[in-house]
Amino acid sequence: MKVLVLNAGSSSLKAEVVGLADGRVLTRLYERIGEDGGGPADHPAAVEDLLGVLRAEQINVDAVGHRVVHGGEAFTAPVLIDDDVVAGIEAQVPLAPLHNPANLAGIRAAMTALPDVPHVAVFDTAFHATLPPAAYRYAVPQAWYEQHGVRRYGFHGTSHAYVARRAAEMLGRPLAELKLVTAHLGNGASVCAVDGGISVDTSMGLGPLAGLVMGTRSGDVDPTVVFHMVNEGGMTLDEVDHALNRSSGLKGLAGSNDMRDVEEAAAAGDEAATLALDVLVHRLAGYVGAYATTLGRLDALVFTAGIGEHSALVRRRVCERLGVLGVGLHDAANDGGAGERRIDAGSGPAILVVPTDEEHEIARQTLEVLDEA
């Protein structure tokens, strides 16, 4: 069976046809949707062009899997899409005002263009629906949670789920007996404590701003910073929001959100780039250590996504900070090679590099929903 996996952004549509047995069959990326510059006029136009490509390539799809960023507490597992589900996703828009409307645009366009195949919504937040209250509740007034859904939700769920399962396969052990920390390190970054295949803590929160230092996002900051910059810095709330999401992280500290540029500048003696690396490593190692205590032991640390897969420097510096947990790195394995591999020294927790495959995970979950229907 072949699944068309759609990831709709506000001005983009990433489409992949995935067969679980034979991998990617086709990939297309539509950008600048609705903008001047030659992009598709809207999401329906992008989907119509995609269908033309599928017809030309004689590719028939059996289902469509849609990435949806935020499911809130309403959606804790992938679900077959109908009118009620569309309304439910729309009800989560206040929790993800930049993402869910775009996801809905892709869903509506695809369901109109492909009415005779099943459509399934797969939620970034769903993997973290297993968080215990001690992990997901904030110490804020009860009414904030009850009336406005203020709690930790977590993101990158499809990535954490995929690499956790793949780590168990690499180690030749049942996922149900493993205690893992998975680190999804890209322009967006999060870390997850996975106990027996179940998410029990994660670094992102109500939205994707909290936690680790990211490409342009600050990660954790004292909430007082917001009030300080409004009252003393003369900024509006929208300006602070934009700065924390678009001008902070590596970009704010080092001037670039590309880790390759930051590492190159640090190697040349740039103090700002060196500080950016120091802050990123400090924050990440702290989370891994905290999650090891949550889990009770650490069987494996798993690095994934762009930085996690490709930055030997970040992996080495983080592992150096985790010696207290028995973490030991095999330098040659860390520095050489590419792709999926084990890079620990052979004693203590395993250290793995696992390229993530969120499209494969969305396709897998889509087919699971159809099998159960």
Side-chain angles (χ1 to χ4, degrees), residues 209-256:
L209 180 60
L212 305 180
V213 174
M214 304 176 229
T216 63
R217 298 178 207 154
S218 64
D220 292 339
V221 295
D222 178 350
T224 305
V225 170
V226 175
F227 311 124
H228 181 77
M229 293 311 299
V230 170
N231 295 327
E232 301 298 327
M235 300 177 72
T236 66
L237 285 174
D238 284 345
E239 288 171 340
V240 175
D241 177 60
H242 185 275
L244 292 176
N245 279 284
R246 304 292 185 182
S247 305
S248 298
L250 293 176
K251 184 177 180 180
L253 289 170
S256 173

Coordinates of all heavy atoms in Angstrom, one line a residue, residues 209-256:
L209 N 8.1 26.7 21.7 CA 9.1 27.6 22.1 C 10.0 27.2 23.2 O 11.1 27.5 23.3 CB 8.5 29.0 22.4 CG 9.4 30.1 22.8 CD1 10.4 30.4 21.6 CD2 8.6 31.4 23.1
A210 N 9.4 26.4 24.1 CA 10.1 26.0 25.4 C 11.2 25.0 25.1 O 11.2 24.3 24.1 CB 9.1 25.5 26.4
G211 N 12.1 24.9 26.1 CA 13.0 23.8 26.2 C 14.4 24.2 25.7 O 15.1 25.1 26.2
L212 N 14.9 23.5 24.7 CA 16.3 23.6 24.2 C 16.5 24.9 23.4 O 15.6 25.5 22.9 CB 16.6 22.4 23.3 CG 16.4 21.0 23.9 CD1 16.8 19.9 22.8 CD2 17.2 20.8 25.2
V213 N 17.8 25.2 23.3 CA 18.2 26.3 22.4 C 18.0 25.8 20.9 O 18.5 24.7 20.6 CB 19.7 26.7 22.6 CG1 20.1 27.7 21.6 CG2 19.8 27.2 24.0
M214 N 17.3 26.6 20.1 CA 17.0 26.2 18.7 C 17.6 27.1 17.8 O 18.4 28.0 18.1 CB 15.5 26.0 18.6 CG 14.9 25.1 19.6 SD 13.1 25.0 19.5 CE 12.6 25.2 21.2
G215 N 17.3 27.0 16.5 CA 17.9 27.8 15.5 C 17.5 29.3 15.7 O 18.4 30.1 15.7
T216 N 16.2 29.6 15.8 CA 15.8 31.0 16.0 C 14.9 31.1 17.2 O 14.5 32.2 17.6 CB 15.0 31.5 14.8 OG1 13.8 30.7 14.7 CG2 15.8 31.4 13.5
R217 N 14.6 30.0 18.0 CA 13.8 30.1 19.2 C 14.7 30.0 20.4 O 15.7 29.3 20.5 CB 12.8 28.9 19.2 CG 11.8 28.9 18.1 CD 10.9 27.7 18.1 NE 10.4 27.4 16.8 CZ 10.0 26.2 16.5 NH1 10.1 25.2 17.3 NH2 9.6 25.9 15.2
S218 N 14.3 30.8 21.4 CA 15.1 30.9 22.6 C 15.2 29.7 23.4 O 16.1 29.4 24.2 CB 14.5 32.0 23.5 OG 13.2 31.7 23.9
G219 N 14.1 28.8 23.4 CA 14.0 27.8 24.4 C 13.6 28.4 25.7 O 13.1 29.5 25.8
D220 N 13.9 27.8 26.8 CA 13.5 28.2 28.2 C 14.1 29.6 28.5 O 15.3 29.9 28.3 CB 14.0 27.3 29.3 CG 13.3 25.9 29.2 OD1 12.2 25.8 28.6 OD2 13.9 24.9 29.7
V221 N 13.2 30.5 28.9 CA 13.6 31.8 29.5 C 12.7 32.1 30.7 O 11.5 31.6 30.7 CB 13.4 33.0 28.5 CG1 14.4 32.8 27.3 CG2 12.0 33.1 28.0
D222 N 13.1 32.9 31.6 CA 12.3 33.3 32.7 C 11.2 34.1 32.1 O 11.4 35.1 31.4 CB 13.2 34.2 33.6 CG 12.5 34.7 34.8 OD1 11.3 34.7 34.9 OD2 13.2 35.3 35.7
P223 N 9.9 33.8 32.5 CA 8.8 34.6 32.0 C 8.9 36.1 32.3 O 8.3 37.0 31.6 CB 7.6 34.0 32.7 CG 8.0 32.6 33.0 CD 9.4 32.7 33.3
T224 N 9.7 36.4 33.3 CA 9.9 37.9 33.7 C 10.5 38.6 32.5 O 10.4 39.8 32.4 CB 10.8 38.0 34.9 OG1 10.2 37.2 36.0 CG2 10.9 39.4 35.4
V225 N 11.3 37.9 31.7 CA 11.9 38.5 30.5 C 10.9 39.2 29.6 O 11.1 40.3 29.1 CB 12.7 37.5 29.7 CG1 13.2 38.1 28.3 CG2 13.9 37.0 30.5
V226 N 9.7 38.6 29.4 CA 8.7 39.2 28.6 C 8.2 40.5 29.2 O 8.2 41.5 28.5 CB 7.5 38.2 28.5 CG1 6.4 38.8 27.7 CG2 8.0 36.9 27.8
F227 N 7.9 40.5 30.5 CA 7.4 41.7 31.1 C 8.5 42.8 31.1 O 8.2 44.0 30.9 CB 6.9 41.5 32.5 CG 6.0 40.3 32.6 CD1 6.3 39.2 33.4 CD2 4.9 40.2 31.8 CE1 5.4 38.1 33.5 CE2 4.0 39.1 31.9 CZ 4.3 38.1 32.7
H228 N 9.8 42.4 31.3 CA 10.9 43.3 31.4 C 11.0 44.0 30.0 O 11.2 45.3 30.0 CB 12.1 42.6 31.7 CG 13.3 43.5 31.8 ND1 13.6 44.3 32.9 CD2 14.4 43.7 31.0 CE1 14.7 45.0 32.7 NE2 15.2 44.6 31.6
M229 N 11.0 43.3 28.9 CA 11.2 43.9 27.6 C 10.0 44.7 27.2 O 10.1 45.7 26.4 CB 11.4 42.8 26.6 CG 12.8 42.1 26.8 SD 14.2 43.2 27.0 CE 14.2 44.1 25.5
V230 N 8.8 44.4 27.7 CA 7.6 45.3 27.4 C 7.7 46.6 28.3 O 7.6 47.7 27.7 CB 6.3 44.6 27.8 CG1 5.1 45.6 27.7 CG2 6.1 43.4 26.8
N231 N 8.0 46.4 29.6 CA 8.0 47.6 30.5 C 9.3 48.4 30.4 O 9.2 49.7 30.4 CB 7.9 47.1 31.9 CG 6.5 46.5 32.2 OD1 5.5 46.8 31.5 ND2 6.5 45.5 33.0
E232 N 10.4 47.8 30.2 CA 11.7 48.5 30.2 C 12.3 48.7 28.8 O 13.0 49.6 28.5 CB 12.7 47.8 31.0 CG 12.3 47.7 32.5 CD 12.1 49.0 33.2 OE1 12.9 50.0 32.8 OE2 11.3 49.1 34.1
G233 N 11.9 47.7 27.9 CA 12.5 47.8 26.5 C 11.6 48.4 25.5 O 12.0 48.6 24.4
G234 N 10.4 48.8 25.9 CA 9.5 49.5 25.1 C 8.9 48.6 23.9 O 8.4 49.2 22.9
M235 N 9.0 47.3 24.0 CA 8.5 46.5 23.0 C 7.0 46.1 23.2 O 6.5 46.1 24.4 CB 9.3 45.2 22.9 CG 10.8 45.4 22.6 SD 11.7 43.8 22.7 CE 11.2 43.0 21.2
T236 N 6.3 45.8 22.1 CA 5.0 45.3 22.3 C 5.0 43.8 22.5 O 6.1 43.1 22.3 CB 4.1 45.5 21.0 OG1 4.7 44.8 19.9 CG2 4.1 47.0 20.6
L237 N 3.9 43.2 23.0 CA 3.9 41.7 23.2 C 4.2 41.0 21.9 O 4.9 40.0 21.8 CB 2.6 41.3 23.8 CG 2.4 41.6 25.2 CD1 0.9 41.3 25.7 CD2 3.4 40.8 26.1
D238 N 3.6 41.5 20.8 CA 3.9 40.9 19.5 C 5.3 40.9 19.1 O 5.9 40.0 18.5 CB 3.0 41.5 18.4 CG 1.6 41.1 18.4 OD1 1.2 40.1 19.1 OD2 0.7 41.8 17.8
E239 N 6.0 42.0 19.4 CA 7.4 42.1 19.1 C 8.2 41.2 19.9 O 9.2 40.6 19.4 CB 7.9 43.6 19.3 CG 7.4 44.5 18.2 CD 7.6 46.0 18.6 OE1 7.9 46.3 19.8 OE2 7.6 46.8 17.7
V240 N 7.9 41.0 21.2 CA 8.6 40.1 22.0 C 8.4 38.6 21.5 O 9.3 37.8 21.4 CB 8.2 40.2 23.5 CG1 8.9 39.1 24.3 CG2 8.5 41.6 24.0
D241 N 7.1 38.3 21.2 CA 6.8 37.0 20.7 C 7.6 36.7 19.4 O 8.2 35.6 19.2 CB 5.3 36.9 20.4 CG 4.9 35.6 19.8 OD1 5.1 34.6 20.4 OD2 4.4 35.6 18.6
H242 N 7.7 37.7 18.5 CA 8.5 37.5 17.3 C 9.9 37.3 17.6 O 10.6 36.5 17.0 CB 8.3 38.7 16.4 CG 8.9 38.6 15.0 ND1 10.2 38.9 14.8 CD2 8.4 38.1 13.8 CE1 10.5 38.7 13.5 NE2 9.4 38.2 12.9
A243 N 10.5 38.1 18.5 CA 11.9 38.0 18.8 C 12.2 36.7 19.4 O 13.3 36.1 19.1 CB 12.3 39.1 19.8
L244 N 11.4 36.2 20.3 CA 11.7 34.9 21.0 C 11.6 33.7 20.0 O 12.3 32.7 20.2 CB 10.8 34.7 22.2 CG 11.0 35.6 23.4 CD1 9.9 35.3 24.4 CD2 12.4 35.4 24.0
N245 N 10.7 33.9 19.0 CA 10.5 32.8 18.0 C 11.4 32.9 16.8 O 11.8 31.9 16.2 CB 9.1 32.7 17.6 CG 8.2 32.0 18.6 OD1 8.2 30.8 18.7 ND2 7.4 32.8 19.4
R246 N 11.7 34.1 16.4 CA 12.4 34.3 15.1 C 13.8 34.9 15.2 O 14.6 34.8 14.2 CB 11.5 35.3 14.2 CG 10.1 34.8 14.0 CD 10.0 33.6 13.2 NE 8.6 33.2 12.9 CZ 8.3 32.1 12.2 NH1 9.2 31.3 11.7 NH2 7.0 31.9 12.0
S247 N 14.1 35.5 16.3 CA 15.4 36.2 16.4 C 16.3 35.8 17.5 O 17.3 36.4 17.8 CB 15.2 37.7 16.5 OG 14.4 38.2 15.4
S248 N 16.0 34.7 18.1 CA 16.7 34.2 19.3 C 17.4 32.9 19.0 O 17.8 32.7 17.9 CB 15.7 34.0 20.5 OG 15.1 35.3 20.8
G249 N 17.7 32.1 20.0 CA 18.4 30.8 19.8 C 19.8 31.1 19.2 O 20.5 32.0 19.6
L250 N 20.2 30.2 18.4 CA 21.6 30.4 17.8 C 21.7 31.7 17.0 O 22.7 32.4 17.1 CB 21.9 29.2 16.8 CG 22.0 27.8 17.4 CD1 22.2 26.8 16.3 CD2 23.2 27.8 18.4
K251 N 20.6 32.1 16.3 CA 20.6 33.3 15.6 C 20.8 34.5 16.5 O 21.6 35.4 16.2 CB 19.3 33.5 14.8 CG 19.3 34.7 13.9 CD 18.0 34.8 13.1 CE 18.0 36.0 12.2 NZ 16.7 36.1 11.4
G252 N 20.1 34.5 17.7 CA 20.3 35.6 18.6 C 21.6 35.7 19.2 O 22.2 36.8 19.4
L253 N 22.2 34.5 19.5 CA 23.5 34.5 20.2 C 24.7 34.6 19.2 O 25.7 35.3 19.6 CB 23.7 33.2 21.0 CG 22.8 33.0 22.2 CD1 22.9 31.6 22.8 CD2 23.3 34.0 23.3
A254 N 24.6 34.0 18.1 CA 25.7 33.9 17.2 C 25.5 34.6 15.8 O 26.5 34.7 15.0 CB 26.1 32.5 16.9
G255 N 24.3 35.1 15.5 CA 24.0 35.7 14.3 C 23.6 34.8 13.1 O 23.3 35.3 12.1
S256 N 23.6 33.5 13.4 CA 23.2 32.6 12.3 C 22.5 31.4 13.0 O 22.8 31.0 14.1 CB 24.4 32.0 11.6 OG 24.0 31.0 10.7

